[in-house]
Amino acid sequence: MEEKAEAGSISANDARTSQALFFFIRKILERAEEAGDAQLEEQQERFNDFGFVRIGVEMTGANDHALLDAAFRACIAGVKGGNAVVQDGLLDHFTSHNERFFVNLKNIMSVAIMNVRRENQQHAQLELLGRDGDPMGAKLVEMSRDKRSPMYSLRHVDVIIYLLQQLCEGHHFGLQNYLRFQFDNLVSINMPKMIMELASEATSVINNSNIKVISRTFSFFTEICQGPCPDNQAELLRGGICTLITRVFRLRTRAVVAAAAATTSTGDQQQQP
């Protein structure tokens, strides 16, 4: 009997087949990238002619996490480096089809924001226990600093942000603006605003479990503003990008000071007779 996935989705067997196909195409493109930009662009445009990247973005509503990850990563390879032919084709696809790409991304990002917010609340409660002298609370704080992701996952967020960044690579003005405002859709999803909200929550506590995603958000912010793109610049300023940058610098500075203090203390102890 054929194994079935959740209702409303493709079968589990079809999901595995699609996942393998996306993986195969991604590897071809990565091998082409190693051969140089010209070879990569040729292969990207060849797969684009077959509608491969458009199929990939249609997979964003899949319930199968492995398939979703494979589709995202293959799409990144398919547009990586700012291939204008592929970017133009995707913009045309977005504006001429009734598809749910941005709605699906909103759903994933909303879950991530909720998870990070809940994580931060839990971390704050544990810190209070630690300050009150509760040894178990202090131990849990120590464990949670670098092991938060198993509790509440940022699943797919890094690859989503990287894909959106690659869509705008090379200062593609059309996609830079379309990520902020889908003028042809009944409901427009402001992706820069959502990612700003995620970054604001994530930077409350920076650790090994979220530093990669935080770094990715700033790379994305850079790409959507280059060109320049005045409307995206204004969106980030309204969203508090300056406050966000200040917070990151302040937290990083505290970490450096703490590390320096620890090193100095160790050195002083070593110098004692």
Side-chain angles (χ1 to χ4, degrees):
M1 179 180 293
E2 183 183 23
E3 183 183 358
K4 293 289 183 179
E6 295 181 24
S9 65
I10 64 176
S11 71
N13 286 338
D14 285 345
R16 285 192 290 268
T17 301
S18 299
Q19 178 188 345
L21 181 59
F22 281 123
F23 180 80
F24 175 69
I25 295 174
R26 171 187 153 202
K27 287 301 179 183
I28 292 176
L29 292 169
E30 288 176 350
R31 183 65 60 87
E33 183 180 11
E34 294 173 359
D37 292 343
Q39 183 69 19
L40 174 60
E41 289 179 4
E42 180 182 344
Q43 291 288 2
Q44 285 174 328
E45 290 168 20
R46 181 174 299 169
F47 282 117
N48 184 62
D49 290 340
F50 288 107
F52 150 70
V53 180
R54 294 189 293 276
I55 294 172
V57 299
E58 293 291 347
M59 288 288 151
T60 54
N63 292 325
D64 187 294
H65 291 294
L67 171 58
L68 192 57
D69 184 74
F72 279 137
R73 294 182 187 278
C75 288
I76 289 170
V79 74
K80 191 175 182 180
N83 189 315
V85 173
V86 182
Q87 290 171 322
D88 289 343
L90 276 174
L91 182 57
D92 179 69
H93 175 72
F94 290 145
T95 56
S96 61
H97 291 74
N98 182 21
E99 50 77 37
R100 292 180 53 83
F101 177 72
F102 291 96
V103 173
N104 292 333
L105 293 192
K106 176 190 175 183
N107 293 337
I108 296 172
M109 296 297 294
S110 295
V111 170
I113 291 169
M114 179 184 67
N115 287 344
V116 173
R117 185 175 294 135
R118 183 166 51 182
E119 250 181 12
N120 289 339
Q121 291 171 351
Q122 185 178 46
H123 185 83
Q125 292 171 351
L126 293 175
E127 281 196 323
L128 285 175
L129 289 174
R131 289 197 203 105
D132 291 341
D134 186 329
M136 181 57 69
K139 183 64 176 178
L140 288 172
V141 170
E142 182 181 352
M143 291 174 60
S144 71
R145 287 194 182 111
D146 295 326
K147 297 181 179 179
R148 299 167 72 198
S149 54
M151 291 190 288
Y152 303 113
S153 175
L154 285 171
R155 178 179 280 167
H156 306 307
V157 169
D158 181 58
V159 289
I160 287 174
I161 297 174
Y162 191 40
L163 173 58
L164 296 178
Q165 177 187 335
Q166 290 301 316
L167 291 180
C168 300
E169 189 74 32
H171 314 160
H172 195 286
F173 192 71
L175 283 169
Q176 284 177 323
N177 283 292
Y178 197 76
L179 294 189
R180 186 190 70 260
F181 177 57
Q182 298 88 55
F183 57 86
D184 58 309
N185 290 351
L186 290 176
V187 178
S188 177
I189 309 299
N190 190 332
M191 293 309 302
K193 183 178 180 180
M194 286 208 74
I195 294 174
M196 175 70 77
E197 186 178 353
L198 173 69
S200 180
E201 293 288 346
T203 53
S204 296
V205 182
I206 300 176
N207 54 38
N208 290 343
S209 71
N210 63 15
I211 186 63
K212 184 178 180 181
V213 170
I214 293 171
S215 176
R216 187 76 75 194
T217 62
F218 281 102
S219 296
F220 168 75
F221 294 149
T222 300
E223 195 57 52
I224 64 171
C225 288
Q226 287 183 337
C229 183
D231 288 336
N232 280 347
Q233 291 173 329
E235 179 65 43
L236 294 186
L237 287 172
R238 283 194 300 270
I241 186 68
C242 295
T243 301
L244 188 63
I245 292 171
T246 301
R247 179 191 298 169
V248 172
F249 274 123
R250 184 180 296 120
L251 289 172
R252 291 292 88 184
T253 300
R254 288 176 183 171
V256 170
V257 170
T263 303
T264 302
S265 176
T266 302
D268 289 345
Q269 291 176 357
Q270 291 175 346
Q271 293 174 8
Q272 293 178 0

